[in-house]
Amino acid sequence: MKSTIRDVAKLASVSVGSVSNVFNGKNVGEDIHRRVMEAASLLEYTPDAIAKKLASRKTQFVGLFVANDEKEMFFSSLWGFLIPIIHGIFKVAETQDYSLHLDFSTLQKVKRKNLFNQIVKEKSLDGIFIFLRWPIDYELLSELERESFPAILINGSLPGVNIPSIKVNNLEGAKAAIDYLVKLGHSKIAMITGPPEFLDVKERIEGYKESLARHGIPYNPTIVRKGDFFFKSGYAHAKELIKLKKRPTAIFCANDHMAAGAIKAVKEENLSVPKDISIVGFDDQIIAEMLDPPLTTVRQPLYQAGILSARRLFNIIKGKIHTSFQEVLDTKLIVRNSCASQKK
């Protein structure tokens, strides 16, 4: 017959609660700890993992929710961005004996099912990561905040929402890219943006404008094009920019996939990258160093963002963090061969 926790308590001459404390890693006296472990060894007692979970009311699951546009969901531009974050979260979750649940839902589904509030009521997860690309209505997150449910916003924060967040400094990353081009002598610097409603894109556009202003270069909306993060939009918009009477000497693209499209467009017009037109990307995805020429781009610390987000969430789950916070991670300009000094 299998030994129970009560058998261990009786043999060790301690309470059932003391045995539970020992096996849940809580502080007990050395003598109690020794007696419990000796009794458990003699009785060949092993605590039931499922019973432990039920007792602690923990599911040992956390969720990563990516609320996104259906069009982008299955394209490499999103996955190249997400995989390092998922990798970082997974590495930490594994050390905590947690499994990671991935949910790729459209914003429409999130709104229709009131998804996050449903998780709080059902307690189906111990905590959640919410990957923010689009602004989310406060009401969709309200239950998380009211119930102090363990949650981390990744890739952005929302005004008036008291939920911890971890994001990359897109503003300073864009500034660094434009500062570098200005240092090379460029003043006609175009930009191919991503969807302007995206939180990170808004910051990159703002960084572009702020850097131009700091260097006394007027903002020219005629050389700013609205892209969609896909190769084809970088290609199409670069074609338009190249054919302008006063064409730009440099193009800043809001991600690497559009920069790849821009490089192709420039080459097709029998122009050189970087001699005729310099090109800078953003993200430093694997495609960046495979291009010809290799792409100068802004590196985002995405793996580190995943690691940090997971560490913070598990500390919240354990009750080690009780206040909201916002952490901003620095980017780094990676200089390769797609930029050159502007001819005088």
Side-chain angles (χ1 to χ4, degrees):
M1 184 176 172
K2 186 179 178 182
S3 298
T4 68
I5 191 170
R6 294 184 184 280
D7 296 327
V8 175
K10 184 177 180 181
L11 184 59
S13 299
V14 298
S15 68
V16 170
S18 293
V19 177
S20 177
N21 286 340
V22 169
F23 284 106
N24 281 292
K26 295 183 179 178
N27 289 328
V28 296
E30 285 185 22
D31 182 56
I32 290 176
H33 187 277
R34 177 184 56 77
R35 281 154 49 197
V36 167
M37 295 308 292
E38 286 178 356
S41 177
L42 286 169
L43 295 170
E44 297 182 345
Y45 170 77
T46 303
D48 189 297
I50 296 174
K52 280 179 69 180
K53 288 179 187 178
L54 289 172
S56 64
R57 296 185 179 179
K58 292 285 190 288
T59 66
Q60 298 302 118
F61 274 89
V62 289
L64 170 61
F65 289 82
V66 182
N68 219 315
D69 177 66
E70 191 172 355
K71 177 187 173 187
E72 194 192 17
M73 199 74 78
F74 301 103
F75 282 85
S76 58
S77 58
L78 174 65
W79 281 99
F81 186 81
L82 272 178
I83 285 173
I85 295 174
I86 294 172
H87 184 197
I89 292 172
F90 179 79
K91 290 290 285 185
V92 177
E94 202 172 33
T95 67
Q96 301 295 316
D97 196 28
Y98 264 78
S99 296
L100 179 62
H101 167 82
L102 297 177
D103 189 300
F104 291 84
S105 298
T106 61
L107 277 175
Q108 291 75 17
K109 179 184 173 184
V110 171
K111 290 176 181 177
R112 188 175 69 250
K113 293 197 168 186
N114 209 358
L115 203 55
F116 304 132
N117 293 355
Q118 186 179 322
I119 289 165
V120 174
K121 288 173 183 174
E122 294 176 355
K123 293 184 169 52
S124 53
L125 297 168
D126 294 338
I128 59 174
F129 306 94
I130 301 171
F131 178 78
L132 285 180
R133 205 73 186 260
W134 307 70
I136 293 179
D137 294 340
Y138 170 73
E139 276 308 307
L140 295 177
L141 303 171
S142 59
E143 194 71 14
L144 296 174
E145 189 173 329
R146 275 195 295 270
E147 296 295 325
S148 298
F149 189 84
I152 296 276
L153 304 179
I154 300 176
N155 196 50
S157 56
L158 296 171
V161 176
N162 195 33
I163 294 175
S165 66
I166 290 174
K167 57 181 280 192
V168 168
N169 199 332
N170 289 281
L171 181 78
E172 292 300 325
K175 284 183 183 179
I178 305 307
D179 287 349
Y180 176 67
L181 290 169
V182 172
K183 185 179 177 181
L184 291 175
H186 296 276
S187 58
K188 294 196 286 286
I189 304 170
M191 181 177 184
I192 302 175
T193 77
E197 62 272 22
F198 281 17
L199 298 170
D200 45 11
V201 172
K202 287 180 179 179
E203 291 188 359
R204 291 173 202 178
I205 294 171
E206 194 58 36
Y208 166 76
K209 290 179 177 179
E210 285 188 18
S211 181
L212 291 177
R214 187 168 66 235
H215 294 289
I217 302 171
Y219 171 71
N220 180 1
T222 66
I223 57 172
V224 176
R225 295 289 190 272
K226 178 184 170 183
D228 60 9
F229 278 160
F230 298 122
F231 177 94
K232 285 183 179 179
S233 74
Y235 174 84
H237 289 309
K239 282 278 190 181
E240 294 172 4
L241 291 165
I242 292 165
K243 291 174 181 177
L244 291 174
K245 189 173 182 181
K246 293 184 178 180
R247 75 173 184 230
T249 61
I251 303 173
F252 171 47
C253 298
N255 83 340
D256 293 341
H257 284 260
M258 292 192 300
I263 288 175
K264 178 177 172 62
V266 171
K267 287 182 173 182
E268 284 186 356
E269 297 298 319
N270 293 317
L271 296 171
S272 167
V273 177
K275 289 180 182 178
D276 297 306
I277 297 181
S278 293
I279 295 177
V280 180
F282 205 106
D283 287 341
D284 196 29
Q285 294 192 16
I286 192 168
I287 189 177
E289 54 187 329
M290 296 168 64
L291 293 170
D292 181 22
L295 181 67
T296 292
T297 186
V298 178
R299 176 179 293 165
Q300 297 200 69
L302 301 176
Y303 176 71
Q304 290 83 353
I307 291 277
L308 186 60
S309 298
R311 286 175 178 166
R312 296 292 184 265
L313 184 65
F314 287 118
N315 280 336
I316 293 170
I317 290 170
K318 293 173 183 177
K320 294 182 179 179
I321 299 178
H322 301 284
T323 57
S324 184
F325 57 84
Q326 181 183 108
E327 295 191 50
V328 181
L329 305 183
D330 292 332
T331 57
K332 182 180 180 181
L333 182 69
I334 304 299
V335 176
R336 296 193 178 100
N337 301 327
S338 63
C339 297
S341 297
Q342 170 60 12
K343 300 171 188 174
K344 299 294 183 184

